[in-house]
């Protein structure tokens, strides 16, 4: 078994799937910009999140959607501000994914749920042969590069996810707590013997 390689900064592994870290810290590490705009007649606010200021104020672990909720105005009738994540930072290049040999890209047919796993290196090879991409292609752009329908049902409704190996099993909180209680039980009789 190979050594565990953690996901890149700004990304997390959830149920074996590589997902973007939804916190302010994750957005900062991915260098993903968030902009807000309101097009209501009496408002017309534009907002650009200042990550450095929010980090200094202690918002690093707060999820981005909560920060966006805090920025809404209290106008009668509700706020019309909409937020948009910039495309930069929304995905990882296949070359970065290929550095971990245990990473797999899973394609799933939306029609029959047929699945196929390939390595990032295989994906790069197929993109280069088809002349639709290179190693710098983002994993989030892979769906736009697929032109073939499903072999089983003929549908072209694909989904794509990156499967990242999970961390080695560490002791859970319950296991650590049970061990601590067992140690305390052994220590208490010794203290009374004395």
């Amino acid at each position: 078994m190979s050594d565990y390689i953690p996901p890149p900064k700004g990304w997390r592994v959830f149920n074996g799937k590589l997902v973007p870290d939804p916190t302010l810290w994750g957005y900062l590490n991915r260098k993903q910009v968030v902009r807000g705009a309101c097009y209501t007649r009496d408002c017309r606010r534009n907002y650009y999140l200042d990550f450095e200021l929010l980090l200094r104020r202690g918002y690093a672990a707060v999820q981005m959607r909560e920060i966006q909720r805090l920025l809404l105005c209290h106008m009668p009738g509700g706020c019309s501000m909409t937020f948009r994540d910039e495309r930069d930072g929304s995905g990882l290049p296949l070359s970065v994914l290929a550095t971990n040999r245990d990473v797999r890209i899973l394609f799933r047919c939306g029609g029959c749920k047929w699945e196929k796993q390939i390595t990032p290196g295989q994906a790069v090879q197929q993109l280069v042969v088809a002349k639709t991409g290179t190693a710098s292609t983002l994993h989030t752009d892979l769906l736009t590069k697929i032109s073939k329908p499903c072999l089983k049902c003929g549908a072209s409704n694909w989904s794509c996810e990156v499967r990242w190996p999970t961390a080695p099993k560490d002791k859970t909180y319950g296991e650590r707590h049970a061990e601590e209680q067992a140690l305390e039980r052994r220590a208490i009789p010794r203290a009374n013997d004395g």
Side-chain angles (χ1 to χ4, degrees):
M1 184 175 173
S2 63
D3 293 331
Y4 175 72
I5 300 173
K9 287 185 176 181
W11 296 86
R12 291 183 178 177
V13 178
F14 181 73
N15 288 339
K17 180 180 174 184
L18 187 69
V19 295
D21 185 350
T23 64
L24 179 73
W25 187 249
Y27 274 79
L28 179 68
N29 283 319
R30 284 192 311 276
K31 297 177 176 69
Q32 189 170 9
V33 177
V34 178
R35 298 182 192 278
C38 181
Y39 298 106
T40 306
R41 185 175 71 193
D42 296 331
C43 185
R44 304 271 187 216
R45 285 190 310 153
N46 285 324
Y47 199 85
Y48 172 81
L49 286 175
D50 184 357
F51 288 111
E52 300 296 328
L53 176 69
L54 291 169
L55 284 173
R56 280 195 303 260
R57 292 188 177 174
Y59 287 94
V62 178
Q63 291 198 3
M64 184 58 70
R65 72 172 173 260
E66 182 65 21
I67 292 172
Q68 292 169 354
R69 190 187 66 75
L70 292 172
L71 294 171
L72 298 177
C73 69
H74 300 290
M75 186 176 201
C79 183
S80 297
M81 181 169 274
T82 57
F83 292 92
R84 182 173 51 93
D85 295 350
E86 294 289 325
R87 188 179 178 289
D88 292 340
S90 64
L92 287 170
L94 293 175
S95 59
V96 172
L97 295 175
T99 58
N100 186 342
R101 66 179 182 193
D102 297 326
V103 169
R104 298 290 182 265
I105 299 172
L106 177 73
F107 292 99
R108 182 177 294 121
C109 175
C112 65
K113 307 299 183 209
W114 179 75
E115 296 179 349
K116 180 176 182 176
Q117 284 190 7
I118 61 172
T119 65
Q122 290 171 327
V124 171
Q125 288 173 352
Q126 291 175 8
L127 290 172
V128 169
V129 167
K131 296 181 182 171
T132 58
T134 63
S136 62
T137 301
L138 299 179
H139 79 277
T140 52
D141 294 338
L142 285 175
L143 289 178
T144 62
K145 311 287 183 184
I146 297 175
S147 59
K148 294 182 181 178
C150 176
L151 296 173
K152 301 240 180 197
C153 69
S156 293
N157 183 16
W158 294 100
S159 66
C160 175
E161 62 186 46
V162 175
R163 305 301 293 181
W164 195 275
T166 55
K169 296 293 181 193
D170 192 13
K171 291 180 182 173
T172 63
Y173 172 79
E175 291 170 341
R176 287 193 306 265
H177 185 67
E179 286 179 1
E180 288 173 7
Q181 284 185 333
L183 288 174
E184 286 177 7
R185 278 189 232 119
R186 286 186 219 141
I188 291 171
R190 290 181 190 152
N192 293 338
D193 288 341

